[in-house]
Amino acid sequence: RVDEIARIAPRFALRSLAQGETFVADEAAPRLVVVVEGKVAISVESRSGVLRSRLVAGDRHGELGLLSGYHR
């Protein structure tokens, strides 16, 4: 809904990546990635191994609690 998008939009920062560009996020900071256009490959390292995923427009990865204010 448009009103919900308007409410949460200020919590996001737009980051555009060129094809082949790598973005390394601070692993200590909670983060939510939403793919608006195109596709991305994500690698997330943890104690249990490496999660590799491919996301396309409309997909998301990360901490949804950032939207509600409730972090796990």
Side-chain angles (χ1 to χ4, degrees), residues 8-39:
I8 65 172
R11 298 181 186 186
F12 287 87
L14 182 63
R15 172 72 187 245
S16 296
L17 300 175
Q19 185 173 348
E21 183 178 356
T22 299
F23 172 72
V24 178
D26 176 4
E27 64 186 51
R31 182 169 310 276
L32 175 64
V33 175
V34 178
V35 180
V36 175
E37 183 178 323
K39 56 188 174 183

Side-chain angles (χ1 to χ4, degrees), residues 20-70:
E21 183 178 356
T22 299
F23 172 72
V24 178
D26 176 4
E27 64 186 51
R31 182 169 310 276
L32 175 64
V33 175
V34 178
V35 180
V36 175
E37 183 178 323
K39 56 188 174 183
V40 298
I42 292 182
S43 295
V44 179
E45 294 183 30
S46 72
R47 287 177 274 202
S48 59
V50 178
L51 167 69
R52 288 181 170 58
S53 183
R54 293 202 177 274
L55 306 177
V56 297
D59 288 344
R60 57 109 185 126
H61 171 81
E63 184 59 60
L64 288 175
L66 291 172
L67 298 178
S68 65
Y70 296 103

